[in-house]
Amino acid sequence: MHVKMLGCGDAYDAQKTNSSLLISEGDFKLLIDCGPTVPQALFAYGMKADDISCIYISHCHPDHCLGLTTLLNYMKSFNRSKPLTIYRQASQHQALYRLMEFAYWPEKDLGFDLHWQDSEELAEVGPWRAETTPSNHSVPNRSLQLKSDSEVLFYSGDGLLSPKGEKLAAQADLAFIECEYMTAANGHGSWADVKGLQRKAGSRWVLYHIDDASRPAVAEAIKDYPEFSLGEDGREFKLSGAKA
C-alpha cells in the first residue's frame, strides 16, 4: 500500500492544500477527501482521467468535498471511460449530488457511470477490508480504517475520535489524525486529545489539518513523541516504513 499525502491543510490554510490522501495498491487508487485545492495537487501529480478508482468523502464540509465539481468536470472533459464509485454518508448525498450535477451542467450527464455507496455500510474498498465510525464533529464525519492481511491504515477525518475510532486508530500501522489545536475546540481534534491515545508498537502517527497559529506549538509538543510527525503536502509513505 502506497500513500501520498496530497494535502495536510485545514479549511483556510493560505499555503497548504486541503487535507487529502491518495492511496494505491497496484492499479487501484482511492482518493480520500477532495476539498477545493485538491484537484490542482492531483493535476500536479500527473493524474489522468481514468486513474482514480473511487473517492471517500469523510464529511460534507467544503474543505473536504468542494473539489468534487472540478475533479468530476476534469474527468468528463478528458473522456473518462471507467466507472467511478463515491463513498459518502447517506444523509449527505443531496449536497454531494448537487456538486456532481454542476460538474456537467449544462449538459445532461458526466459521460461515465458514477456509483454512490453509503459509507455507513462500508466493509470493503478495492483490495482492502474497510470499517468506518462516527467522530464528534459539527457536521457528521466518519473515520475510516483500511486493512490488508498485513497492514492497517486509519484516517480520522475531522473531529474528536469516538471510543470505536480510538480502537480502530490503535490497530493502525499508519494513522492520520486531525490535530487542529493544542486543546479541543469547535468540534476538532487537538494535541491534548491525541497524545494519550493507545498506539500500536512501531506505528506512525501523522498529524494534519492543523491551524496555522497552532502548528509551531504542535511541532514543539511532538518532539518527545518519536512516533508522531507533522503532515506535509506531497509526503509519501509505504506501510512497511514511512519516508518524509
Side-chain angles (χ1 to χ4, degrees):
M1 188 188 298
H2 178 269
V3 183
K4 185 175 182 69
M5 181 168 247
L6 295 167
C8 66
D10 67 1
Y12 312 117
D13 200 303
Q15 298 181 340
K16 300 183 184 301
T17 300
N18 297 135
S19 295
S20 177
L21 301 179
L22 184 64
I23 306 176
S24 306
E25 185 77 47
D27 292 333
F28 188 89
K29 291 181 171 59
L30 166 66
L31 177 67
I32 299 182
D33 283 338
C34 189
T37 59
V38 170
Q40 184 176 10
L42 285 166
F43 303 153
Y45 188 49
M47 185 203 73
K48 306 301 182 185
D50 279 331
D51 283 354
I52 292 175
S53 308
C54 58
I55 301 171
Y56 180 90
I57 301 297
S58 62
H59 66 293
C60 275
H61 268 152
D63 60 312
H64 293 263
C65 69
L66 202 57
L68 272 178
T69 297
T70 299
L71 182 57
L72 294 175
N73 179 264
Y74 165 82
M75 292 175 175
K76 174 178 174 58
S77 298
F78 286 85
N79 301 311
R80 181 184 175 97
S81 58
K82 288 171 52 176
L84 178 70
T85 299
I86 298 179
Y87 303 104
R88 84 294 180 254
Q89 297 173 67
S91 63
Q92 298 176 2
H93 177 74
Q94 287 304 316
L96 295 174
Y97 195 86
R98 288 192 291 269
L99 294 179
M100 181 271 292
E101 288 184 309
F102 193 35
Y104 60 75
W105 182 88
E107 298 182 29
K108 294 182 178 180
D109 57 49
L110 287 168
F112 58 88
D113 291 335
L114 177 60
H115 306 290
W116 300 90
Q117 185 171 334
D118 296 348
S119 59
E120 297 91 332
E121 307 299 326
L122 198 56
E124 184 177 279
V125 176
W128 310 298
R129 299 184 297 279
E131 189 169 358
T132 73
T133 188
S135 68
N136 181 14
H137 191 46
S138 56
V139 167
N141 171 90
R142 293 194 75 87
S143 304
L144 172 67
Q145 186 198 74
L146 298 175
K147 183 181 293 186
S148 71
D149 290 338
S150 58
E151 305 164 330
V152 181
L153 179 145
F154 179 81
Y155 176 83
S156 69
D158 285 5
L160 300 172
L161 296 183
S162 66
K164 184 176 179 181
E166 293 181 4
K167 180 179 178 181
L168 294 179
Q171 297 169 355
D173 300 290
L174 181 59
F176 294 88
I177 307 291
E178 189 216 21
C179 187
E180 182 79 350
Y181 306 112
M182 285 295 292
T183 57
N186 303 322
H188 285 282
S190 73
W191 175 244
D193 302 301
V194 171
K195 66 180 180 179
L197 294 178
Q198 183 178 354
R199 299 182 288 278
K200 183 178 180 178
S203 62
R204 300 271 192 138
W205 285 53
V206 183
L207 304 180
Y208 72 95
H209 201 286
I210 304 171
D211 176 70
D212 271 349
S214 300
R215 193 174 180 89
V218 173
E220 182 65 26
I222 67 174
K223 287 182 178 179
D224 294 328
Y225 297 81
E227 64 271 44
F228 284 97
S229 63
L230 299 188
E232 294 291 348
D233 291 5
R235 191 174 173 191
E236 299 188 43
F237 307 84
K238 289 185 181 297
L239 285 187
S240 57
K243 65 178 183 178

